[in-house]
């Protein structure tokens, strides 16, 4: 079964006028697939990510993750899904201000049965892989925007989630750091992780296997890309 299936998903906001943030989206993310989402501002990209990440519930339609219809899960099961199965890289970083980079990255493992030494070792490894080994003891306010973003990315990946959702993961990053992040995604892809990445940037989206183009809450078209991995 696929990692994620969306079946005619709609998300409607009733404001002064009705806004169809998602207007009948059906999409399958096969296990281990690497998909990019592109589309203009307001086309529904964030809403789509939030719905798949169980942060938001659709007005209509079905979201199935790992064979489970999300609407039938209890609050606790949904939290578990978010904490372990899904790694969510938020646009805003949501780092804990009083914790160091290392503690922030180690934190999601508290949901799991992992000892403190192993937690810290794993967190250090992830910080190293996002190029922040020398910032492990810094608090978020001592880090630049791009560094905070990388801490958030390391935190999203630390539990080795089956599904990674990333919203503009390389938005504030310089070219070299961005390349490092995209290589890290490629590594996770090679290891079988299901990836869904929102980006405004064509060269970022092109690292995926296909690009889903959203327009006005609908899938406008799906662009298949060369399967060969374009390692930069
Ligand atoms: P992006 O930067 O992805 O184009 P937006 O700037 O449109 O995103 O929106 C940023 C966030 O603000 C989204 O996650 C969305 O949930 C929220 N948002 C967008 N539009 C509205 C709105 N009209 N009312 C309340 N929240 C909104
Ligand atoms: P994108 O991420 O592509 O910019 P969003 O998913 O943030 O698009 O938003 C899609 C549409 O839904 C926009 O018209 C936005 O204003 C609206 N929207 C998003 N979140 C909310 C919200 N919480 N309340 C009202 N409208 C929203």
């Amino acid at each position: 079964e696929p990692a994620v299936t969306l079946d005619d998903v709609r998300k409607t906001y009733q404001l002064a006028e009705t806004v169809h943030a998602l207007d009948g989206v059906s999409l399958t993310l096969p296990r281990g697939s690497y998909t990019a989402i592109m589309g203009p501002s307001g086309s529904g990209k964030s809403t789509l990510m939030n719905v798949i990440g169980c942060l938001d519930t659709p007005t209509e339609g079905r979201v199935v993750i790992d064979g489970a219809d999300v609407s039938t899960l209890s609050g606790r099961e949904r939290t578990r899904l978010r904490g372990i199965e899904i790694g969510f890289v938020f646009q805003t970083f949501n780092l804990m201000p009083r914790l160091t980079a290392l503690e922030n990255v180690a934190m999601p493992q508290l949901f799991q049965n992992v000892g403190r030494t192993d937690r810290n070792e794993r967190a250090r490894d992830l910080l190293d892989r996002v190029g922040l080994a020398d910032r492990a003891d810094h608090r978020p306010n001592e880090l630049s925007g791009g560094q905070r973003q990388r801490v958030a990315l390391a935190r999203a990946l630390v539990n080795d989630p089956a599904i990674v959702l990333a919203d503009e993961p390389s938005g504030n990053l310089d070219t070299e750091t961005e390349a490092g992040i995209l290589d890290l995604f490629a590594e996770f892809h090679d290891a079988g992780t299901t990836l869904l990445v929102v980006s405004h940037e064509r060269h970022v989206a092109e690292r995926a296997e296909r690009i889903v183009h959203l327009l006005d809450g609908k899938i406008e078209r799906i662009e298949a890309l060369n399967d060969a991995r374009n390692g930069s």
Side-chain angles (χ1 to χ4, degrees), residues 37-72:
I37 307 274
M38 296 190 83
S41 187
S43 58
K45 305 183 297 295
S46 299
T47 306
L48 182 67
M49 297 295 263
N50 290 345
V51 163
I52 295 175
C54 303
L55 297 172
D56 207 345
T57 47
T59 314
E60 283 177 63
R62 233 159 46 102
V63 179
V64 180
I65 295 176
D66 258 347
D69 183 334
V70 172
S71 69
T72 67

PDB file of all heavy atoms in Angstrom, residues 37-72:
ATOM      1  N   ILE A  37       6.122  19.770  -4.620  1.00  0.00           N
ATOM      2  CA  ILE A  37       4.896  20.532  -4.862  1.00  0.00           C
ATOM      3  C   ILE A  37       5.287  21.951  -5.246  1.00  0.00           C
ATOM      4  O   ILE A  37       6.059  22.600  -4.531  1.00  0.00           O
ATOM      5  CB  ILE A  37       4.025  20.623  -3.592  1.00  0.00           C
ATOM      6  CG1 ILE A  37       3.746  19.255  -3.000  1.00  0.00           C
ATOM      7  CG2 ILE A  37       2.741  21.407  -3.875  1.00  0.00           C
ATOM      8  CD1 ILE A  37       2.574  18.541  -3.583  1.00  0.00           C
ATOM      9  N   MET A  38       4.780  22.419  -6.366  1.00  0.00           N
ATOM     10  CA  MET A  38       4.996  23.809  -6.751  1.00  0.00           C
ATOM     11  C   MET A  38       3.635  24.467  -7.005  1.00  0.00           C
ATOM     12  O   MET A  38       2.647  23.791  -7.280  1.00  0.00           O
ATOM     13  CB  MET A  38       5.848  23.922  -8.025  1.00  0.00           C
ATOM     14  CG  MET A  38       7.263  23.386  -7.869  1.00  0.00           C
ATOM     15  SD  MET A  38       8.324  23.791  -9.295  1.00  0.00           S
ATOM     16  CE  MET A  38       8.817  25.473  -8.854  1.00  0.00           C
ATOM     17  N   GLY A  39       3.633  25.789  -6.942  1.00  0.00           N
ATOM     18  CA  GLY A  39       2.387  26.511  -7.215  1.00  0.00           C
ATOM     19  C   GLY A  39       2.499  27.908  -6.646  1.00  0.00           C
ATOM     20  O   GLY A  39       3.248  28.132  -5.707  1.00  0.00           O
ATOM     21  N   PRO A  40       1.735  28.847  -7.204  1.00  0.00           N
ATOM     22  CA  PRO A  40       1.814  30.223  -6.717  1.00  0.00           C
ATOM     23  C   PRO A  40       1.321  30.354  -5.280  1.00  0.00           C
ATOM     24  O   PRO A  40       0.678  29.442  -4.757  1.00  0.00           O
ATOM     25  CB  PRO A  40       0.907  30.993  -7.687  1.00  0.00           C
ATOM     26  CG  PRO A  40       0.100  29.979  -8.405  1.00  0.00           C
ATOM     27  CD  PRO A  40       0.819  28.680  -8.328  1.00  0.00           C
ATOM     28  N   SER A  41       1.642  31.465  -4.643  1.00  0.00           N
ATOM     29  CA  SER A  41       1.167  31.731  -3.291  1.00  0.00           C
ATOM     30  C   SER A  41      -0.354  31.659  -3.272  1.00  0.00           C
ATOM     31  O   SER A  41      -1.028  32.159  -4.169  1.00  0.00           O
ATOM     32  CB  SER A  41       1.649  33.120  -2.855  1.00  0.00           C
ATOM     33  OG  SER A  41       1.323  33.302  -1.509  1.00  0.00           O
ATOM     34  N   GLY A  42      -0.899  30.964  -2.272  1.00  0.00           N
ATOM     35  CA  GLY A  42      -2.352  30.836  -2.158  1.00  0.00           C
ATOM     36  C   GLY A  42      -2.920  29.659  -2.915  1.00  0.00           C
ATOM     37  O   GLY A  42      -4.140  29.438  -2.901  1.00  0.00           O
ATOM     38  N   SER A  43      -2.081  28.842  -3.558  1.00  0.00           N
ATOM     39  CA  SER A  43      -2.600  27.732  -4.367  1.00  0.00           C
ATOM     40  C   SER A  43      -2.945  26.508  -3.523  1.00  0.00           C
ATOM     41  O   SER A  43      -3.544  25.561  -4.034  1.00  0.00           O
ATOM     42  CB  SER A  43      -1.603  27.361  -5.472  1.00  0.00           C
ATOM     43  OG  SER A  43      -0.357  26.999  -4.929  1.00  0.00           O
ATOM     44  N   GLY A  44      -2.568  26.523  -2.222  1.00  0.00           N
ATOM     45  CA  GLY A  44      -2.962  25.417  -1.355  1.00  0.00           C
ATOM     46  C   GLY A  44      -1.818  24.535  -0.876  1.00  0.00           C
ATOM     47  O   GLY A  44      -2.057  23.510  -0.229  1.00  0.00           O
ATOM     48  N   LYS A  45      -0.591  24.941  -1.150  1.00  0.00           N
ATOM     49  CA  LYS A  45       0.565  24.104  -0.805  1.00  0.00           C
ATOM     50  C   LYS A  45       0.665  23.840   0.702  1.00  0.00           C
ATOM     51  O   LYS A  45       0.800  22.692   1.122  1.00  0.00           O
ATOM     52  CB  LYS A  45       1.869  24.769  -1.301  1.00  0.00           C
ATOM     53  CG  LYS A  45       1.874  25.107  -2.780  1.00  0.00           C
ATOM     54  CD  LYS A  45       3.210  25.692  -3.228  1.00  0.00           C
ATOM     55  CE  LYS A  45       3.569  27.015  -2.563  1.00  0.00           C
ATOM     56  NZ  LYS A  45       2.638  28.130  -2.922  1.00  0.00           N
ATOM     57  N   SER A  46       0.585  24.916   1.488  1.00  0.00           N
ATOM     58  CA  SER A  46       0.703  24.741   2.947  1.00  0.00           C
ATOM     59  C   SER A  46      -0.460  23.923   3.487  1.00  0.00           C
ATOM     60  O   SER A  46      -0.275  23.055   4.354  1.00  0.00           O
ATOM     61  CB  SER A  46       0.730  26.096   3.653  1.00  0.00           C
ATOM     62  OG  SER A  46       1.827  26.851   3.222  1.00  0.00           O
ATOM     63  N   THR A  47      -1.639  24.174   2.981  1.00  0.00           N
ATOM     64  CA  THR A  47      -2.821  23.428   3.431  1.00  0.00           C
ATOM     65  C   THR A  47      -2.652  21.946   3.130  1.00  0.00           C
ATOM     66  O   THR A  47      -2.937  21.091   3.980  1.00  0.00           O
ATOM     67  CB  THR A  47      -4.098  23.972   2.753  1.00  0.00           C
ATOM     68  OG1 THR A  47      -4.178  25.382   2.989  1.00  0.00           O
ATOM     69  CG2 THR A  47      -5.341  23.304   3.293  1.00  0.00           C
ATOM     70  N   LEU A  48      -2.152  21.633   1.941  1.00  0.00           N
ATOM     71  CA  LEU A  48      -1.927  20.241   1.562  1.00  0.00           C
ATOM     72  C   LEU A  48      -0.947  19.571   2.527  1.00  0.00           C
ATOM     73  O   LEU A  48      -1.191  18.456   3.010  1.00  0.00           O
ATOM     74  CB  LEU A  48      -1.398  20.183   0.122  1.00  0.00           C
ATOM     75  CG  LEU A  48      -1.155  18.787  -0.439  1.00  0.00           C
ATOM     76  CD1 LEU A  48      -2.472  18.041  -0.605  1.00  0.00           C
ATOM     77  CD2 LEU A  48      -0.433  18.860  -1.772  1.00  0.00           C
ATOM     78  N   MET A  49       0.159  20.260   2.823  1.00  0.00           N
ATOM     79  CA  MET A  49       1.141  19.708   3.756  1.00  0.00           C
ATOM     80  C   MET A  49       0.529  19.514   5.135  1.00  0.00           C
ATOM     81  O   MET A  49       0.756  18.497   5.783  1.00  0.00           O
ATOM     82  CB  MET A  49       2.336  20.657   3.889  1.00  0.00           C
ATOM     83  CG  MET A  49       3.091  20.854   2.612  1.00  0.00           C
ATOM     84  SD  MET A  49       3.852  19.332   2.071  1.00  0.00           S
ATOM     85  CE  MET A  49       5.477  19.591   2.717  1.00  0.00           C
ATOM     86  N   ASN A  50      -0.239  20.504   5.599  1.00  0.00           N
ATOM     87  CA  ASN A  50      -0.827  20.414   6.937  1.00  0.00           C
ATOM     88  C   ASN A  50      -1.823  19.263   7.038  1.00  0.00           C
ATOM     89  O   ASN A  50      -1.908  18.602   8.070  1.00  0.00           O
ATOM     90  CB  ASN A  50      -1.521  21.735   7.293  1.00  0.00           C
ATOM     91  CG  ASN A  50      -0.520  22.854   7.523  1.00  0.00           C
ATOM     92  OD1 ASN A  50       0.671  22.607   7.693  1.00  0.00           O
ATOM     93  ND2 ASN A  50      -0.983  24.084   7.522  1.00  0.00           N
ATOM     94  N   VAL A  51      -2.562  19.028   5.956  1.00  0.00           N
ATOM     95  CA  VAL A  51      -3.531  17.936   5.954  1.00  0.00           C
ATOM     96  C   VAL A  51      -2.808  16.583   5.985  1.00  0.00           C
ATOM     97  O   VAL A  51      -3.154  15.696   6.768  1.00  0.00           O
ATOM     98  CB  VAL A  51      -4.469  18.051   4.727  1.00  0.00           C
ATOM     99  CG1 VAL A  51      -5.190  16.752   4.463  1.00  0.00           C
ATOM    100  CG2 VAL A  51      -5.474  19.180   4.937  1.00  0.00           C
ATOM    101  N   ILE A  52      -1.765  16.441   5.163  1.00  0.00           N
ATOM    102  CA  ILE A  52      -1.013  15.180   5.160  1.00  0.00           C
ATOM    103  C   ILE A  52      -0.295  14.990   6.497  1.00  0.00           C
ATOM    104  O   ILE A  52      -0.184  13.885   7.001  1.00  0.00           O
ATOM    105  CB  ILE A  52      -0.014  15.134   3.988  1.00  0.00           C
ATOM    106  CG1 ILE A  52      -0.770  15.140   2.655  1.00  0.00           C
ATOM    107  CG2 ILE A  52       0.868  13.890   4.078  1.00  0.00           C
ATOM    108  CD1 ILE A  52       0.129  15.226   1.441  1.00  0.00           C
ATOM    109  N   GLY A  53       0.169  16.088   7.077  1.00  0.00           N
ATOM    110  CA  GLY A  53       0.890  16.012   8.350  1.00  0.00           C
ATOM    111  C   GLY A  53      -0.021  15.916   9.559  1.00  0.00           C
ATOM    112  O   GLY A  53       0.447  15.977  10.691  1.00  0.00           O
ATOM    113  N   CYS A  54      -1.327  15.763   9.342  1.00  0.00           N
ATOM    114  CA  CYS A  54      -2.310  15.625  10.417  1.00  0.00           C
ATOM    115  C   CYS A  54      -2.330  16.845  11.331  1.00  0.00           C
ATOM    116  O   CYS A  54      -2.682  16.747  12.510  1.00  0.00           O
ATOM    117  CB  CYS A  54      -2.056  14.386  11.273  1.00  0.00           C
ATOM    118  SG  CYS A  54      -2.020  12.870  10.381  1.00  0.00           S
ATOM    119  N   LEU A  55      -1.946  18.002  10.818  1.00  0.00           N
ATOM    120  CA  LEU A  55      -2.040  19.232  11.599  1.00  0.00           C
ATOM    121  C   LEU A  55      -3.365  19.922  11.323  1.00  0.00           C
ATOM    122  O   LEU A  55      -3.750  20.855  12.013  1.00  0.00           O
ATOM    123  CB  LEU A  55      -0.894  20.182  11.235  1.00  0.00           C
ATOM    124  CG  LEU A  55       0.499  19.672  11.529  1.00  0.00           C
ATOM    125  CD1 LEU A  55       1.548  20.615  10.951  1.00  0.00           C
ATOM    126  CD2 LEU A  55       0.703  19.513  13.021  1.00  0.00           C
ATOM    127  N   ASP A  56      -4.031  19.472  10.276  1.00  0.00           N
ATOM    128  CA  ASP A  56      -5.273  20.094   9.838  1.00  0.00           C
ATOM    129  C   ASP A  56      -6.152  18.971   9.290  1.00  0.00           C
ATOM    130  O   ASP A  56      -5.636  17.998   8.757  1.00  0.00           O
ATOM    131  CB  ASP A  56      -4.936  21.099   8.725  1.00  0.00           C
ATOM    132  CG  ASP A  56      -5.955  22.223   8.651  1.00  0.00           C
ATOM    133  OD1 ASP A  56      -7.039  22.089   9.244  1.00  0.00           O
ATOM    134  OD2 ASP A  56      -5.653  23.222   7.976  1.00  0.00           O
ATOM    135  N   THR A  57      -7.471  19.095   9.452  1.00  0.00           N
ATOM    136  CA  THR A  57      -8.357  18.055   8.934  1.00  0.00           C
ATOM    137  C   THR A  57      -9.105  18.594   7.722  1.00  0.00           C
ATOM    138  O   THR A  57      -9.501  19.753   7.699  1.00  0.00           O
ATOM    139  CB  THR A  57      -9.384  17.618   9.998  1.00  0.00           C
ATOM    140  OG1 THR A  57      -9.948  18.797  10.573  1.00  0.00           O
ATOM    141  CG2 THR A  57      -8.733  16.798  11.078  1.00  0.00           C
ATOM    142  N   PRO A  58      -9.285  17.750   6.701  1.00  0.00           N
ATOM    143  CA  PRO A  58      -9.994  18.211   5.516  1.00  0.00           C
ATOM    144  C   PRO A  58     -11.476  18.417   5.810  1.00  0.00           C
ATOM    145  O   PRO A  58     -12.028  17.799   6.717  1.00  0.00           O
ATOM    146  CB  PRO A  58      -9.787  17.082   4.505  1.00  0.00           C
ATOM    147  CG  PRO A  58      -9.332  15.907   5.264  1.00  0.00           C
ATOM    148  CD  PRO A  58      -8.802  16.366   6.587  1.00  0.00           C
ATOM    149  N   THR A  59     -12.094  19.293   5.043  1.00  0.00           N
ATOM    150  CA  THR A  59     -13.534  19.498   5.140  1.00  0.00           C
ATOM    151  C   THR A  59     -14.270  18.293   4.552  1.00  0.00           C
ATOM    152  O   THR A  59     -15.291  17.862   5.072  1.00  0.00           O
ATOM    153  CB  THR A  59     -13.948  20.776   4.364  1.00  0.00           C
ATOM    154  OG1 THR A  59     -13.037  21.826   4.694  1.00  0.00           O
ATOM    155  CG2 THR A  59     -15.356  21.197   4.703  1.00  0.00           C
ATOM    156  N   GLU A  60     -13.723  17.763   3.469  1.00  0.00           N
ATOM    157  CA  GLU A  60     -14.282  16.567   2.832  1.00  0.00           C
ATOM    158  C   GLU A  60     -13.140  15.741   2.266  1.00  0.00           C
ATOM    159  O   GLU A  60     -12.064  16.259   2.022  1.00  0.00           O
ATOM    160  CB  GLU A  60     -15.179  16.942   1.640  1.00  0.00           C
ATOM    161  CG  GLU A  60     -16.548  17.450   1.968  1.00  0.00           C
ATOM    162  CD  GLU A  60     -17.264  17.841   0.675  1.00  0.00           C
ATOM    163  OE1 GLU A  60     -17.493  16.947  -0.174  1.00  0.00           O
ATOM    164  OE2 GLU A  60     -17.559  19.037   0.517  1.00  0.00           O
ATOM    165  N   GLY A  61     -13.435  14.466   2.011  1.00  0.00           N
ATOM    166  CA  GLY A  61     -12.448  13.604   1.385  1.00  0.00           C
ATOM    167  C   GLY A  61     -11.679  12.793   2.412  1.00  0.00           C
ATOM    168  O   GLY A  61     -11.879  12.955   3.612  1.00  0.00           O
ATOM    169  N   ARG A  62     -10.817  11.917   1.893  1.00  0.00           N
ATOM    170  CA  ARG A  62     -10.148  10.959   2.754  1.00  0.00           C
ATOM    171  C   ARG A  62      -8.632  11.115   2.687  1.00  0.00           C
ATOM    172  O   ARG A  62      -8.066  11.303   1.611  1.00  0.00           O
ATOM    173  CB  ARG A  62     -10.513   9.537   2.298  1.00  0.00           C
ATOM    174  CG  ARG A  62     -11.072   8.640   3.408  1.00  0.00           C
ATOM    175  CD  ARG A  62     -11.869   7.484   2.807  1.00  0.00           C
ATOM    176  NE  ARG A  62     -11.145   6.874   1.705  1.00  0.00           N
ATOM    177  CZ  ARG A  62     -10.475   5.721   1.803  1.00  0.00           C
ATOM    178  NH1 ARG A  62     -10.441   5.045   2.934  1.00  0.00           N
ATOM    179  NH2 ARG A  62      -9.851   5.220   0.755  1.00  0.00           N
ATOM    180  N   VAL A  63      -7.978  11.035   3.858  1.00  0.00           N
ATOM    181  CA  VAL A  63      -6.522  11.012   3.936  1.00  0.00           C
ATOM    182  C   VAL A  63      -6.126   9.684   4.571  1.00  0.00           C
ATOM    183  O   VAL A  63      -6.535   9.386   5.694  1.00  0.00           O
ATOM    184  CB  VAL A  63      -5.978  12.175   4.798  1.00  0.00           C
ATOM    185  CG1 VAL A  63      -4.454  12.111   4.874  1.00  0.00           C
ATOM    186  CG2 VAL A  63      -6.434  13.518   4.234  1.00  0.00           C
ATOM    187  N   VAL A  64      -5.380   8.875   3.821  1.00  0.00           N
ATOM    188  CA  VAL A  64      -4.964   7.567   4.324  1.00  0.00           C
ATOM    189  C   VAL A  64      -3.447   7.551   4.443  1.00  0.00           C
ATOM    190  O   VAL A  64      -2.735   7.811   3.471  1.00  0.00           O
ATOM    191  CB  VAL A  64      -5.428   6.434   3.377  1.00  0.00           C
ATOM    192  CG1 VAL A  64      -4.987   5.072   3.904  1.00  0.00           C
ATOM    193  CG2 VAL A  64      -6.943   6.478   3.199  1.00  0.00           C
ATOM    194  N   ILE A  65      -2.949   7.292   5.643  1.00  0.00           N
ATOM    195  CA  ILE A  65      -1.507   7.247   5.874  1.00  0.00           C
ATOM    196  C   ILE A  65      -1.154   5.874   6.401  1.00  0.00           C
ATOM    197  O   ILE A  65      -1.732   5.427   7.405  1.00  0.00           O
ATOM    198  CB  ILE A  65      -1.073   8.346   6.857  1.00  0.00           C
ATOM    199  CG1 ILE A  65      -1.333   9.711   6.211  1.00  0.00           C
ATOM    200  CG2 ILE A  65       0.408   8.198   7.215  1.00  0.00           C
ATOM    201  CD1 ILE A  65      -1.054  10.880   7.099  1.00  0.00           C
ATOM    202  N   ASP A  66      -0.237   5.205   5.685  1.00  0.00           N
ATOM    203  CA  ASP A  66       0.156   3.860   6.104  1.00  0.00           C
ATOM    204  C   ASP A  66      -1.046   2.949   6.253  1.00  0.00           C
ATOM    205  O   ASP A  66      -1.120   2.166   7.198  1.00  0.00           O
ATOM    206  CB  ASP A  66       0.884   3.939   7.449  1.00  0.00           C
ATOM    207  CG  ASP A  66       2.382   3.830   7.250  1.00  0.00           C
ATOM    208  OD1 ASP A  66       2.808   3.459   6.144  1.00  0.00           O
ATOM    209  OD2 ASP A  66       3.107   4.128   8.218  1.00  0.00           O
ATOM    210  N   GLY A  67      -2.009   3.094   5.357  1.00  0.00           N
ATOM    211  CA  GLY A  67      -3.177   2.220   5.376  1.00  0.00           C
ATOM    212  C   GLY A  67      -4.259   2.631   6.356  1.00  0.00           C
ATOM    213  O   GLY A  67      -5.324   2.024   6.389  1.00  0.00           O
ATOM    214  N   ALA A  68      -4.008   3.663   7.168  1.00  0.00           N
ATOM    215  CA  ALA A  68      -5.004   4.072   8.161  1.00  0.00           C
ATOM    216  C   ALA A  68      -5.697   5.357   7.728  1.00  0.00           C
ATOM    217  O   ALA A  68      -5.031   6.354   7.409  1.00  0.00           O
ATOM    218  CB  ALA A  68      -4.339   4.269   9.519  1.00  0.00           C
ATOM    219  N   ASP A  69      -7.022   5.324   7.710  1.00  0.00           N
ATOM    220  CA  ASP A  69      -7.805   6.528   7.435  1.00  0.00           C
ATOM    221  C   ASP A  69      -7.651   7.460   8.642  1.00  0.00           C
ATOM    222  O   ASP A  69      -8.062   7.129   9.749  1.00  0.00           O
ATOM    223  CB  ASP A  69      -9.275   6.128   7.245  1.00  0.00           C
ATOM    224  CG  ASP A  69     -10.153   7.320   6.884  1.00  0.00           C
ATOM    225  OD1 ASP A  69      -9.791   8.461   7.239  1.00  0.00           O
ATOM    226  OD2 ASP A  69     -11.200   7.091   6.263  1.00  0.00           O
ATOM    227  N   VAL A  70      -7.029   8.622   8.408  1.00  0.00           N
ATOM    228  CA  VAL A  70      -6.667   9.512   9.512  1.00  0.00           C
ATOM    229  C   VAL A  70      -7.888   9.931  10.325  1.00  0.00           C
ATOM    230  O   VAL A  70      -7.809  10.100  11.542  1.00  0.00           O
ATOM    231  CB  VAL A  70      -5.907  10.746   8.974  1.00  0.00           C
ATOM    232  CG1 VAL A  70      -5.704  11.776  10.064  1.00  0.00           C
ATOM    233  CG2 VAL A  70      -4.564  10.321   8.388  1.00  0.00           C
ATOM    234  N   SER A  71      -9.044  10.051   9.651  1.00  0.00           N
ATOM    235  CA  SER A  71     -10.241  10.524  10.360  1.00  0.00           C
ATOM    236  C   SER A  71     -10.729   9.507  11.391  1.00  0.00           C
ATOM    237  O   SER A  71     -11.484   9.843  12.292  1.00  0.00           O
ATOM    238  CB  SER A  71     -11.357  10.848   9.366  1.00  0.00           C
ATOM    239  OG  SER A  71     -11.839   9.650   8.785  1.00  0.00           O
ATOM    240  N   THR A  72     -10.305   8.249  11.263  1.00  0.00           N
ATOM    241  CA  THR A  72     -10.745   7.227  12.213  1.00  0.00           C
ATOM    242  C   THR A  72      -9.776   7.072  13.390  1.00  0.00           C
ATOM    243  O   THR A  72     -10.050   6.321  14.316  1.00  0.00           O
ATOM    244  CB  THR A  72     -10.872   5.837  11.536  1.00  0.00           C
ATOM    245  OG1 THR A  72      -9.563   5.395  11.169  1.00  0.00           O
ATOM    246  CG2 THR A  72     -11.750   5.904  10.293  1.00  0.00           C
TER     247      THR A  72
END
